[in-house]
Amino acid sequence: MSETITADIADQPGATPAAEETPQEAAGRKASSIEMQGLHKRFGRDTVALDGVDLEIRAGEFFTLLGPSGCGKTTLLRILAGLEEPDDGSLVVGGKTLTEVPPHRRSVNTVFQSYALFPHLSVRDNLAFGLKMRGLPAAERDAKVDEIAEFIKLGDLVDRRVDQLSGGQRQRIALARALVCEPDVLLLDEPLSALDAGLRSQLQVELLRVQKRLGMTFVFVTHDQDEAMVMSDRIAVLNGGNIQQVGAPREVYERPVNAFVARFMGHDNLYPVRERQGDRLTTALGTLTAEEAGEGELLLIRPETLDLLPGEVEGANHVPATVAERLYRGSHAEFRLEIGDTTLQATVNNRGRHLPEVGDRVTVVVAPEDLVTLSE
């Protein structure tokens, strides 16, 4: 990997000499920013896949497109790859306009959900395929394959056939094949979705480590909120061909801008604000004091911010409730609480203390600093 990378930067003013630069540092120099403006894409008369998408992705960023099926995230990825053409708008990668550039002329590679490997070929031949298509001599191909195989920890598998390997090993081969050609941008179309939960969690960490070591721009597509939060520098939440919110994982989770983002991130505790007097908000739960709630018409209460006290305890932001349901999950317990005619979800860490039982009366303590309002 390093030879081509360092050759690409050797003629740049002020570039570090190749001998002093690691492959990871060199790859970071190749990372490209992405700018999309006014991207539209329609399929047929009635299906709007993208409805004027404006988005900027920073060089070297692990950026995730998150949303439900049909929201436009895969169409956006395919436009980046050159597999779809937008009806309107512009796409700039690394300062170069790519809107009408064919896929094979883009320094962009894709890892597909199906891996798209050649099962009858060896791991080495799969890794070398793209390099062979580019006309690299056999000796150079072998050197690059050995380097990337070692980097992705596939060194002992290079001479085995792909159809003899596990799903996790195939996923790593697909990643290595995409990286060996040293693209400026790597696109990942739900590459972990076919794996079991344990292996998926392990490979999430591996993939994140690879991206951080290389410093390459990764654009990741998923519908899994937890996966997006674990792996991303920033997240764009899409719905109906539009971007609803862009931000760091913590921002999107803790401060969603509207009800769609809140619900997609797993929040059920949303209550219309019936009356507002300064920092006091009246909802179906009663009147609560918020430090910086905002001006939205819905109040969001995240379940993990709540505390439960036994019995009925009076105080500011103390709400009496009855435990209607309890789900014990080892490290924590999830509660569905009844408050008058409405319900509230709460998550309580298991710290060896007594947890309320179904039917118990409790007091919900709502922290004023954790309350936030948002729009419909």
Side-chain angles (χ1 to χ4, degrees), residues 5-13 15-16:
I5 291 173
T6 51
D8 286 346
I9 66 167
D11 296 330
Q12 297 179 10
T16 303

Side-chain angles (χ1 to χ4, degrees), residues 18-67:
E20 299 179 11
E21 188 168 49
T22 66
Q24 292 79 14
E25 291 169 337
R29 289 177 178 270
K30 285 176 65 69
S32 292
S33 61
I34 301 171
E35 298 178 26
M36 311 172 202
Q37 291 188 346
L39 287 182
H40 289 262
K41 183 64 180 179
R42 180 185 295 270
F43 295 103
R45 293 184 176 181
D46 302 324
T47 304
V48 178
L50 298 175
D51 189 19
V53 169
D54 296 323
L55 182 63
E56 292 186 8
I57 298 174
R58 301 163 187 156
E61 188 170 34
F62 197 122
F63 193 92
T64 295
L65 304 173
L66 175 66

Side-chain angles (χ1 to χ4, degrees), residues 109-112 114-119 121-131 134 145 148-149 152 154 162 170-183 186:
N109 275 359
T110 305
V111 179
F112 296 99
S114 62
Y115 309 147
L117 300 173
F118 300 110
L121 297 181
S122 68
V123 172
R124 178 178 295 278
D125 289 340
N126 267 274
L127 297 182
F129 182 80
L131 300 174
R134 295 187 178 193
V145 166
I148 192 63
I152 304 294
L154 293 170
V162 166
R170 294 183 190 187
Q171 190 275 340
R172 286 159 59 197
I173 294 165
L175 175 62
R177 189 177 69 175
L179 290 173
V180 75
C181 292
E182 300 167 6
L186 186 67

Side-chain angles (χ1 to χ4, degrees), residues 158-303:
V158 291
D159 295 318
R160 295 178 62 179
R161 283 166 53 114
V162 166
D163 57 7
Q164 298 174 332
L165 304 179
S166 69
Q169 290 169 331
R170 294 183 190 187
Q171 190 275 340
R172 286 159 59 197
I173 294 165
L175 175 62
R177 189 177 69 175
L179 290 173
V180 75
C181 292
E182 300 167 6
D184 294 345
V185 175
L186 186 67
L187 310 177
L188 302 109
D189 188 6
E190 302 204 53
L192 309 181
S193 61
L195 305 176
D196 63 69
L199 183 57
R200 185 173 184 171
S201 178
Q202 175 188 340
L203 290 178
Q204 285 173 0
V205 176
E206 279 194 30
L207 185 59
L208 183 58
R209 286 174 179 168
V210 166
Q211 192 271 337
K212 295 306 178 189
R213 287 177 65 189
L214 289 176
M216 190 179 291
T217 305
F218 276 27
V219 182
F220 188 83
V221 161
T222 185
H223 62 273
D224 187 304
Q225 303 92 328
D226 291 337
E227 188 168 76
M229 287 191 289
V230 165
M231 303 179 72
S232 311
D233 294 315
R234 287 191 303 150
I235 298 169
V237 182
L238 286 84
N239 185 41
N242 292 285
I243 293 178
Q244 304 293 308
Q245 183 173 359
V246 177
R250 183 171 182 177
E251 177 187 353
V252 173
Y253 180 79
E254 296 185 6
R255 292 290 188 270
V257 297
N258 58 36
F260 172 82
V261 175
R263 292 191 176 100
F264 192 78
M265 298 306 292
H267 299 310
D268 294 321
N269 294 337
L270 293 170
Y271 305 95
V273 177
R274 297 174 176 174
E275 185 179 348
R276 184 191 301 267
Q277 293 182 337
D279 60 357
R280 293 174 61 81
L281 309 175
T282 301
T283 71
L285 304 179
T287 299
L288 300 172
T289 300
E291 285 190 0
E292 297 180 8
E295 298 300 321
E297 60 267 26
L298 288 178
L299 177 66
L300 167 64
I301 303 177
R302 302 199 325 273

Side-chain angles (χ1 to χ4, degrees), residues 141-161:
R141 291 201 306 267
D142 288 343
K144 286 182 176 293
V145 166
D146 288 339
E147 185 176 359
I148 192 63
E150 186 67 25
F151 184 73
I152 304 294
K153 301 178 182 178
L154 293 170
D156 57 343
L157 302 175
V158 291
D159 295 318
R160 295 178 62 179
R161 283 166 53 114

